[in-house]
Amino acid sequence: DKKINGLIVPHAGYEYSGQVAAYGFRQLNNDYKTVILMAPSHHVRFDGAAVLNVSYFKTPLWKVKVSNKVEKLLKEDSVYEMPEVYEEEHSLEIQLPFLQKTLKDFELVPLITGDVNPSELAKVLEKYVDDKTLIIASSDLSHYHSYNEAVKLDNECIKNIEEMNIEGASKCEACGVMPILILMEIAKNFNWKSQIIKYANSGDVTGDKSKVVGYSSIVFFEKEGSLSKEERSILLKLAREKLES
């Protein structure tokens, strides 16, 4: 029954990681107006974060409207419009059908990360997060180790994420480590907690355990008794007014 604010899900082909991703998406309710979807770039090296300022994304299901927050983000430091980054990139688009089937109506903020300071980008994105916002980090875990070695590496990575150990998580062998770190920075600032929902790797799917890729679904939610962003804002406003009076 916890309200999910953030989610880490894998982005391999649906036949490989789709079941693990589905565990994460099944935790969501429909109470989101905006989805900030962060994914890594597999083909283009660049500094900052790339957005795509278009009207919508089109999938085989239907169109996904792009939020007007993208235009506002383009005025921020380290955020640029780079369509070429999106041309061959699957890690963001593969999440859209899951969102379309899970959520009723939402607007998308697409963000592909390059070389960027995760703490600084987290501070930028926090300005666009409210109680109707879901933040997703698209990432697989370790790549091409033996089954047992992959499980060992991935368990250590997941442990660091669950413990909100950002420095430890930065050492994770994950292609989407930057989106993960940005989500963790936001979660730490908003006092969210994280929990593993499902872990598996490609060896569990194909039976070939010689060189596997790890997948996880991890949710982020408000700690019990913690205040929402809007509640904190109201209390801060009241405190300022009290001091002034």
Side-chain angles (χ1 to χ4, degrees):
D1 293 335
K2 298 182 183 78
K3 170 73 185 297
I4 306 301
N5 300 308
L7 188 61
I8 298 172
V9 279
H11 57 232
Y14 294 130
E15 67 271 34
Y16 297 106
S17 68
Q19 284 192 344
V20 174
Y23 274 91
F25 284 103
R26 284 285 291 175
Q27 309 305 311
L28 303 178
N29 59 35
N30 284 312
D31 196 24
Y32 305 98
K33 298 296 181 193
T34 307
V35 176
I36 298 175
L37 177 51
M38 301 183 291
S41 174
H42 289 83
H43 307 288
V44 182
R45 285 293 302 270
F46 64 97
D47 292 330
V51 294
L52 198 58
N53 190 16
V54 295
S55 299
Y56 58 84
F57 278 71
K58 189 177 180 182
T59 79
L61 299 180
W62 60 82
K63 294 175 182 178
V64 177
K65 189 177 188 306
V66 173
S67 171
N68 60 14
K69 291 178 180 180
V70 167
E71 287 190 6
K72 295 174 185 174
L73 269 171
L74 281 169
K75 296 173 184 172
E76 304 278 3
D77 291 339
S78 303
V79 181
Y80 312 100
E81 184 171 15
M82 290 186 266
E84 66 276 14
V85 173
Y86 284 77
E87 283 176 8
E88 301 292 330
E89 189 54 61
H90 71 284
S91 58
L92 188 143
E93 291 180 355
I94 201 164
Q95 310 299 355
L96 297 181
F98 282 113
L99 287 166
Q100 288 174 300
K101 292 295 285 186
T102 309
L103 307 183
K104 286 177 184 169
D105 189 26
F106 68 95
E107 293 186 358
L108 181 71
V109 177
L111 204 72
I112 293 181
T113 59
D115 295 324
V116 67
N117 183 312
S119 175
E120 288 178 7
L121 189 54
K123 286 192 178 90
V124 168
L125 293 176
E126 280 170 20
K127 293 188 271 184
Y128 303 91
V129 175
D130 59 24
D131 293 340
K132 303 287 188 183
T133 303
L134 172 69
I135 308 172
I136 296 178
S138 176
S139 182
D140 298 333
L141 297 182
S142 66
H143 285 59
Y144 310 131
H145 298 282
S146 67
Y147 187 94
N148 291 337
E149 178 67 13
V151 169
K152 182 180 172 186
L153 287 168
D154 293 340
N155 280 341
E156 180 65 22
C157 178
I158 291 164
K159 179 171 174 281
N160 282 316
I161 294 170
E162 284 197 298
E163 291 176 356
M164 287 296 177
N165 180 353
I166 292 173
E167 186 180 347
S170 70
K171 300 181 175 80
C172 284
E173 189 182 312
C175 51
V177 68
M178 189 61 72
I180 289 172
L181 294 177
I182 295 164
L183 174 52
M184 289 180 72
E185 290 277 4
I186 294 170
K188 210 163 189 179
N189 292 340
F190 285 163
N191 202 29
W192 298 344
K193 191 177 177 182
S194 62
Q195 182 183 341
I196 182 73
I197 296 298
K198 179 69 175 175
Y199 170 78
N201 62 49
S202 58
D204 297 310
V205 179
T206 66
D208 180 358
K209 299 189 176 182
S210 58
K211 289 182 179 180
V212 305
V213 179
Y215 314 123
S216 68
S217 273
I218 301 172
V219 295
F220 291 74
F221 52 91
E222 287 174 13
K223 291 180 183 176
E224 202 168 320
S226 65
L227 298 172
S228 71
K229 184 182 178 184
E230 287 177 7
E231 288 168 334
R232 286 197 303 274
S233 178
I234 291 166
L235 285 176
L236 187 60
K237 184 172 180 284
L238 288 171
R240 281 189 183 130
E241 288 173 354
K242 182 72 174 172
L243 284 169
E244 285 169 5
S245 66

